[in-house]
Amino acid sequence: MKKNLQTLLIAILLCSFNAKGNHILGSDGRYKYLGKDTFLLTLDIYRDCKGTNLSPIKINVIGVGFSYTYTFTMTQINCGDVTPVCKKSCSKCDRSSCNAYGYPNGSDPTCSFPYGIEKITFQDTFIFSDTLSNSKCKFRIEFSQCCRSGALTTCCSGDNLYNYMELNRCYNNSSPIYHANPINIFCVGNCIAMNISGADTTDNDSISYHLAPALTSFGNSCTYQGSYTYQYPLYYDGFPNTKKFVDSTCKGFMLDSINGVIKCKPMQQQYLQIVVDVKEWRYDSASNKKINIGVTRRDFPVIIIANCTNKPPSLPSASQVGCAGDLICFNGIKSSDPDSKDTVKLTWNKGISKGKFTAKYNGSKKQEFDFCWQTDSSDASATPYYFTVTATDDACPAAGSFTRSYSITVKQKPFAKYTANYIGCGKVRFQAQPLQPNNIYNGKEIYTWECPYPNGKTIRDTAKNGIFDTIQKM
């Protein structure tokens, strides 16, 4: 009993020390299927540059619904300063003192800007045991590290950081890829649109986004202060009573579950934590519905600063509808910025992997973009496709940014077998038998109509690309 108590006290003291030293700010995880039950696991940890080195990152692979546990230590492969400041500004990360990778190592006391955030990346290949049966599919990949930053103001200050991913080995699935770090600095009073979306360019699975609690261990949430919750994690315009976001006034708070954009107007200087569950969905022929085949979690800080005059750039809304096989394009979508001296750069999340995104200045300090996608018959879907574009200015020290989501609905072209027969009495009977793109009858009724026979004209009974050619006007 005495030994156990002593061990507990040592653990508490170590955590207390690391809470002052590590200043952990969040984490991302992802995995890639390499074949033969082999996955490449990648973990990003965000921490304050003023913190000390991390403890070894140990990963637990846990069977969900059955007994399986495997533990290993991940290998660090990279690290770097990801503080969202302009090129002319410094951060608290010491760029003159470098580690073996040539990246920041420690704090820069000469920089007046108070923030410095470092991303440390770990990676390893994991192979599941060949003794696992085909019924043992779902696994939780988890890790833990002490402790979160004491600078956090709405939740989690000094708490243990716990995060996990869910992987289904039976689907040979790869998780979404994130093309932008989730670290953002915003000004009090500005309407913000923050992009945390990913893209599945490997399997093209559907993705949804859901606010989730920051965790200290599996199933155990961090402590949120006052009226803050994981659904409403900051002091926004309308907090805490206005729940539904109103786009025209930027009042309320929301995470768009389809495109992964967070919208609100922060009204108070804060250092806060947001967590988003990113779920993957794939059609299952056995159940005739989409099922969840994987989860990754984005756990990240957001910094709200006061006394800044910069206004963020913006992008206009737009959407497109086309048919499968069409070239569908957005042309000349222009960014703008209330601050005329700011230069605006556009980036996108590669949400539609087969599309081509082109950003250009076109004689202005504000970029515009074109996007084109040559669709084919397999792209027809009742669910729209989305990609996001982020406009970022060059204000100092903290740049302003704005993200807009763009949708494309791809409809299936009508395929049918047509016939035209003269039935006497000056009439022609037309029939259309709807087909699927592979020329198989789709089970719908055959449509029939009759028209007067065109005197002296020829009835055309031909098909072009699976679609009946237009009959001459009668």
Side-chain angles (χ1 to χ4, degrees):
M1 179 68 180
K2 184 178 180 180
K3 185 177 180 181
N4 290 339
L5 179 59
Q6 186 180 34
T7 302
L8 177 61
L9 288 172
I10 291 172
I12 292 172
L13 287 171
L14 283 174
C15 192
S16 299
F17 172 79
N18 287 335
K20 296 177 181 178
N22 277 347
H23 293 280
I24 297 174
L25 295 170
S27 67
D28 276 336
R30 57 195 181 275
Y31 50 86
K32 181 179 181 180
Y33 177 65
L34 301 179
K36 297 182 179 179
D37 249 350
T38 303
F39 291 82
L40 181 66
L41 306 180
T42 305
L43 176 67
D44 295 324
I45 294 183
Y46 304 95
R47 72 176 185 96
D48 195 313
C49 282
K50 296 189 289 282
T52 58
N53 292 332
L54 297 172
S55 301
I57 301 299
K58 293 186 177 181
I59 293 292
N60 296 321
V61 182
I62 309 293
V64 178
F66 56 93
S67 179
Y68 181 94
T69 301
Y70 188 89
T71 300
F72 66 96
T73 301
M74 291 200 83
T75 303
Q76 180 180 335
I77 63 167
N78 211 336
C79 60
D81 183 2
V82 293
T83 315
V85 293
C86 68
K87 292 182 179 179
K88 298 177 182 178
S89 178
C90 61
S91 80
K92 275 298 180 186
C93 293
D94 184 1
R95 301 174 186 177
S96 64
S97 174
C98 298
N99 59 22
Y101 299 100
Y103 289 100
N105 184 27
S107 178
D108 180 4
T110 67
C111 182
S112 60
F113 189 71
Y115 305 106
I117 300 172
E118 183 180 21
K119 180 173 79 172
I120 306 173
T121 301
F122 300 83
Q123 194 173 82
D124 269 298
T125 300
F126 181 77
I127 304 173
F128 284 98
S129 170
D130 56 9
T131 61
L132 287 171
S133 68
N134 292 335
S135 63
K136 295 180 178 179
C137 297
K138 190 174 181 180
F139 294 83
R140 184 172 70 250
I141 301 167
E142 63 180 17
F143 81 98
S144 181
Q145 184 82 189
C146 186
C147 290
R148 293 180 185 264
S149 171
L152 295 167
T153 57
T154 62
C155 85
C156 315
S157 175
D159 285 345
N160 190 57
L161 170 74
Y162 171 88
N163 211 349
Y164 69 92
M165 302 179 283
E166 289 183 357
L167 179 154
N168 193 318
R169 58 179 279 269
C170 296
Y171 281 93
N172 300 335
N173 178 53
S174 296
S175 68
I177 296 173
Y178 304 108
H179 295 282
N181 295 318
I183 312 300
N184 288 277
I185 298 177
F186 298 108
C187 294
V188 169
N190 282 347
C191 184
I192 66 173
M194 176 173 41
N195 175 32
I196 53 88
S197 66
D200 184 358
T201 57
T202 302
D203 308 305
N204 294 313
D205 293 323
S206 299
I207 303 173
S208 63
Y209 304 88
H210 312 267
L211 291 164
L215 299 176
T216 60
S217 60
F218 184 68
N220 295 308
S221 172
C222 290
T223 301
Y224 287 80
Q225 305 298 321
S227 298
Y228 298 113
T229 65
Y230 72 86
Q231 298 101 326
Y232 305 102
L234 78 160
Y235 193 88
Y236 56 84
D237 188 10
F239 180 86
N241 297 321
T242 303
K243 306 297 186 185
K244 187 177 180 181
F245 181 78
V246 181
D247 201 51
S248 59
T249 62
C250 203
K251 193 169 186 176
F253 178 87
M254 72 165 290
L255 164 64
D256 192 308
S257 63
I258 296 175
N259 57 45
V261 175
I262 295 173
K263 295 182 179 181
C264 67
K265 183 192 291 184
M267 301 301 291
Q268 182 175 300
Q269 182 167 323
Q270 291 181 319
Y271 206 152
L272 59 112
Q273 202 77 18
I274 296 178
V275 181
V276 176
D277 280 357
V278 183
K279 299 183 179 181
E280 282 188 278
W281 305 85
R282 187 178 297 180
Y283 176 74
D284 178 65
S285 57
S287 60
N288 195 30
K289 63 180 182 181
K290 286 188 175 181
I291 61 172
N292 177 224
I293 61 166
V295 178
T296 53
R297 285 167 48 91
R298 308 204 80 182
D299 184 326
F300 56 93
V302 177
I303 302 170
I304 311 298
I305 59 176
N307 303 318
C308 54
T309 59
N310 182 51
K311 299 296 181 183
S314 62
L315 286 161
S317 61
S319 61
Q320 291 286 7
V321 179
C323 288
D326 290 351
L327 177 67
I328 303 175
C329 293
F330 294 86
N331 292 308
I333 306 297
K334 297 181 179 181
S335 64
S336 60
D337 194 304
D339 305 311
S340 60
K341 294 182 179 180
D342 286 353
T343 298
V344 178
K345 181 180 180 180
L346 302 181
T347 56
W348 75 307
N349 72 337
K350 301 183 182 180
I352 301 178
S353 60
K354 293 188 288 185
K356 182 180 180 180
F357 177 88
T358 304
K360 52 190 177 183
Y361 282 106
N362 196 22
S364 168
K365 295 178 71 175
K366 281 72 178 172
Q367 281 190 332
E368 61 182 62
F369 77 86
D370 298 331
F371 176 84
C372 282
W373 176 21
Q374 178 58 62
T375 64
D376 58 41
S377 59
S378 66
D379 295 318
S381 174
T383 303
Y385 295 85
Y386 291 90
F387 67 94
T388 62
V389 180
T390 298
T392 306
D393 65 25
D394 60 347
C396 281
S401 66
F402 177 87
T403 298
R404 177 76 72 179
S405 175
Y406 294 90
S407 69
I408 297 178
T409 301
V410 183
K411 296 185 176 181
Q412 184 170 296
K413 283 186 177 180
F415 287 82
K417 178 182 178 182
Y418 290 86
T419 58
N421 297 295
Y422 179 66
I423 58 175
C425 296
K427 291 185 177 182
V428 176
R429 176 176 293 150
F430 296 91
Q431 286 187 323
Q433 179 179 343
L435 303 173
Q436 294 175 355
N438 54 5
N439 291 323
I440 297 175
Y441 178 51
N442 66 7
K444 296 182 179 179
E445 67 177 292
I446 298 175
Y447 299 93
T448 303
W449 66 100
E450 296 178 359
C451 298
Y453 186 81
N455 289 331
K457 295 184 178 180
T458 302
I459 301 171
R460 292 192 292 170
D461 183 13
T462 60
K464 185 178 182 181
N465 294 328
I467 303 172
F468 190 68
D469 211 3
T470 305
I471 300 293
Q472 289 181 343
K473 188 174 181 180
M474 300 180 183

